[in-house]
C-alpha cells in the first residue's frame, strides 16, 4: 500500500491543531522513558518538537546547539539526563502542562 501523505507531516499538523493530541504525545514520551524505552521516547519527542517548539527555538530555550538537539533525538541519539530534562521541560512549558507521575501495579 502506498502512502499518499508523509507521516511526519500528518503528525505535525495534528499536533498543531489538536492540543490534546500534542499533550498525549508528551505523556506517551514520558511514559516510554520511565518504562525503560528511551528509544521510543526520543522518537516521539523528536516528532513533538518538530510539531510544537521547533529545533531552533528549542536550541534557544535550552542553550544547546540545534544540531546537537537533532542528534540527541535521532534514531541512535544518546542525550544525557540533563539534556533530556531540558528538552522535556521546554516542550512541557510550550504545551502548558506539568508532569505528575503515578506508580501502578504491573500487569
Amino acid at each position: 500500500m502506498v502512502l499518499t501523505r508523509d507521516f511526519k507531516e500528518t503528525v505535525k499538523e495534528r499536533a498543531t491543531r489538536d492540543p490534546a493530541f500534542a499533550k498525549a504525545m508528551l505523556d506517551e514520551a514520558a511514559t516510554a522513558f520511565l518504562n525503560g524505552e528511551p528509544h521510543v521516547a526520543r522518537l516521539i519527542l523528536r516528532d513533538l518538537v518538530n510539531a510544537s517548539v521547533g529545533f531552533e527555538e528549542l536550541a534557544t530555550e535550552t542553550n544547546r546547539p540545534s544540531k546537537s538537539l537533532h542528534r540527541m533525538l535521532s534514531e541512535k541519539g544518546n542525550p544525557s539526563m540533563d539534556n533530556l530534562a531540558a528538552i522535556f521541560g521546554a516542550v512541557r512549558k510550550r504545551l502548558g502542562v506539568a508532569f505528575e507521575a503515578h506508580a501502578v501495579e504491573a500487569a
Side-chain angles (χ1 to χ4, degrees), residues 27-45:
D27 182 65
E28 191 63 31
T31 300
F33 177 73
L34 292 173
N35 283 323
E37 299 177 275
H39 174 77
V40 173
R42 281 194 316 272
L43 298 179
I44 294 170
L45 268 178

Side-chain angles (χ1 to χ4, degrees), residues 54-98:
F55 277 93
E56 293 304 319
E57 192 170 328
L58 181 63
T60 301
E61 290 186 30
T62 60
N63 294 316
R64 288 152 178 90
S66 175
K67 288 188 179 210
S68 293
L69 292 167
H70 275 284
R71 279 192 299 273
M72 287 178 212
L73 297 180
S74 71
E75 189 90 19
K76 295 183 181 190
N78 190 20
S80 69
M81 288 295 289
D82 289 344
N83 288 330
L84 200 53
I87 293 167
F88 269 113
V91 175
R92 180 193 59 74
K93 181 179 169 186
R94 171 57 61 100
L95 297 179
V97 297

Side-chain angles (χ1 to χ4, degrees), residues 11-27 48 51-52 91-92 94-97:
V11 169
K12 184 176 180 177
E13 277 185 26
R14 173 90 188 266
T16 301
R17 72 175 152 70
D18 184 357
F21 180 75
K23 290 173 186 174
M25 286 180 70
L26 181 60
D27 182 65
L48 186 54
S52 61
V91 175
R92 180 193 59 74
R94 171 57 61 100
L95 297 179
V97 297

